[in-house]
Amino acid sequence: MNLSAEDRNYILSQFLRDISHISDKEYQTRIWIRGEGPECDDFDEAVCCYSSSAESIFEEYKAYGISDIQLHILKQFHEEFKKFWVDNDLPQLFIDTPEWTRITLMAKKVLEAFNYQK
């Protein structure tokens, strides 16, 4: 796919925003569980948004300006998150589990690697 640098920057920015939602338990409680706020988001939608961008970003990571170190951290997160979402779909049941806490901490490491600011 032939994307402009502007398009790739936008896609990467949205991808990192999706990861920031995965890292933020306060956001998840407010949006996914209580359904408050202007966002129309739930866990399934978060997984879909994240996963729809992940494949193309992994395939063309150099074109997105992603370093090998960033890619390594991102792939570790991706593998763990993918295993998690296959078996879990109700945030009310998993949000306070050690497994989900681990996912949120891994997401935060990805954001740190990319110097992501909300």
Side-chain angles (χ1 to χ4, degrees), residues 69-117:
I69 292 169
Q70 289 170 321
L71 181 67
H72 178 72
I73 293 167
L74 186 56
K75 281 187 172 183
Q76 285 180 323
F77 165 74
H78 179 75
E79 292 305 316
E80 291 300 315
F81 185 43
K82 191 172 181 179
K83 285 184 223 172
F84 187 88
W85 87 56
V86 167
D87 294 328
N88 297 277
D89 61 355
L90 292 174
Q92 298 87 335
L93 300 179
F94 69 68
I95 199 162
D96 291 321
T97 65
E99 295 82 7
W100 184 246
T101 297
R102 185 171 190 277
I103 297 295
T104 63
L105 293 173
M106 291 180 82
K108 287 177 184 171
K109 284 186 181 181
V110 170
L111 299 175
E112 288 171 14
F114 284 84
N115 295 315
Y116 179 81
Q117 303 294 318

Side-chain angles (χ1 to χ4, degrees), residues 27-77:
Y27 171 89
Q28 297 155 15
T29 301
R30 183 174 59 85
I31 301 300
W32 297 352
I33 295 177
R34 295 194 313 255
E36 298 171 352
E39 301 91 346
C40 297
D41 198 7
D42 60 24
F43 179 70
D44 290 337
E45 189 173 336
V47 169
C48 286
C49 290
Y50 166 83
S51 62
S52 68
S53 299
E55 289 304 315
S56 65
I57 288 173
F58 284 131
E59 287 174 12
E60 301 181 39
Y61 74 96
K62 292 272 189 206
Y64 284 90
I66 297 173
S67 72
D68 290 337
I69 292 169
Q70 289 170 321
L71 181 67
H72 178 72
I73 293 167
L74 186 56
K75 281 187 172 183
Q76 285 180 323
F77 165 74

Side-chain angles (χ1 to χ4, degrees), residues 2-51:
N2 246 347
L3 295 173
S4 69
E6 185 179 329
D7 289 339
R8 282 191 300 275
N9 286 339
Y10 177 79
I11 290 167
L12 184 59
S13 173
Q14 293 301 302
F15 183 66
L16 292 172
R17 185 208 60 186
D18 294 337
I19 293 173
S20 79
H21 291 168
I22 295 163
S23 77
D24 186 347
K25 281 191 180 185
E26 184 179 310
Y27 171 89
Q28 297 155 15
T29 301
R30 183 174 59 85
I31 301 300
W32 297 352
I33 295 177
R34 295 194 313 255
E36 298 171 352
E39 301 91 346
C40 297
D41 198 7
D42 60 24
F43 179 70
D44 290 337
E45 189 173 336
V47 169
C48 286
C49 290
Y50 166 83
S51 62

